[in-house]
Amino acid sequence: MDAHRLPKGLGWLSVGLGLTELTFAEGICRLLGLKGHAGVVRALGARELVTGLGLLSQPERRPWLWGRVAGDAIDLSVLGTTLNRSTAATSAWRFAATVAVLGITLIDVYAASAPRIRRVSNSGKGDRWEGPLESWRGSGLAEDVGANANGAGAEWDEAKRHQMMQEAQSRLGLPDPENLTPRR
């Protein structure tokens, strides 16, 4: 999955779970054998909602992803308190909820700990780029850092275009695609 779409998807999941926990707290408590703890479920729902809105609205998503992981730990601990309340009617729901939260926790940990793209020096043998190996050229980055914006892009000669790409590459600190060493 795309590294930018996963946090957004988790944000929408958080919003949905939060609204569900806020709206149907008593029913969730009945299914899990937590009668009388609707306030706890609503608090968990509010936390989910805030985390989801943070993932959807903030440019730096990593803290919000770790917030989801912390919330998953809280959810698992609340589910753990229900283990000694074994009734046939609620045990299947508890098992399903625990498996679902464990699965989501794995996805949240994966998303929160995904490595960032960074540049690593390769002791004078060129640069090794830790991240996607596709070329950034042609993506519009040169135009974003000061290339001619008057629409004359199609009329530039190749030498001028290459020079501007080199300047943009230097200003942005991007590696030269021709000198990349693949990751091992």
Side-chain angles (χ1 to χ4, degrees):
M1 173 166 264
D2 182 5
H4 300 289
R5 289 177 37 198
L6 181 58
K8 189 175 234 179
L10 290 171
W12 284 114
L13 176 67
S14 282
V15 168
L17 286 172
L19 291 174
T20 301
E21 288 174 330
L22 287 169
T23 307
F24 302 108
E26 289 86 8
I28 292 170
C29 286
R30 231 182 349 269
L31 287 174
L32 297 177
L34 289 171
K35 290 185 182 174
H37 291 89
V40 172
V41 173
R42 283 191 185 94
L44 296 175
R47 178 206 30 94
E48 281 286 355
L49 189 59
V50 168
T51 305
L53 293 173
L55 277 169
L56 294 172
S57 66
Q58 298 300 312
E60 180 57 41
R61 294 182 174 150
R62 192 167 303 261
W64 296 99
L65 289 168
W66 283 115
R68 277 193 52 81
V69 172
D72 293 339
I74 294 169
D75 293 343
L76 287 170
S77 66
V78 168
L79 286 168
T81 64
T82 67
L83 293 179
N84 61 356
R85 299 176 185 152
S86 60
T87 64
T90 61
S91 63
W93 284 106
R94 261 182 285 165
F95 177 75
T98 303
V99 169
V101 172
L102 282 172
I104 292 295
T105 301
L106 292 175
I107 294 170
D108 288 341
V109 168
Y110 169 77
S113 63
R116 293 179 185 227
I117 298 172
R118 63 184 189 274
R119 186 176 179 170
V120 179
S121 175
N122 200 11
S123 65
K125 297 179 184 175
D127 289 331
R128 185 176 61 162
W129 186 254
E130 295 288 330
L133 291 180
E134 67 270 5
S135 174
W136 60 273
R137 292 183 181 214
S139 65
L141 286 176
E143 292 81 6
D144 290 343
V145 293
N148 190 352
N150 65 6
E155 300 164 6
W156 293 342
D157 64 339
E158 187 60 29
K160 175 77 173 162
R161 182 184 165 284
H162 185 71
Q163 176 189 2
M164 291 184 76
M165 295 302 272
Q166 293 293 335
E167 289 172 9
Q169 173 184 322
S170 174
R171 275 195 242 167
L172 292 171
L174 297 172
D176 185 1
E178 286 120 27
N179 294 328
L180 283 179
T181 305
R183 286 182 284 186
R184 295 174 203 194

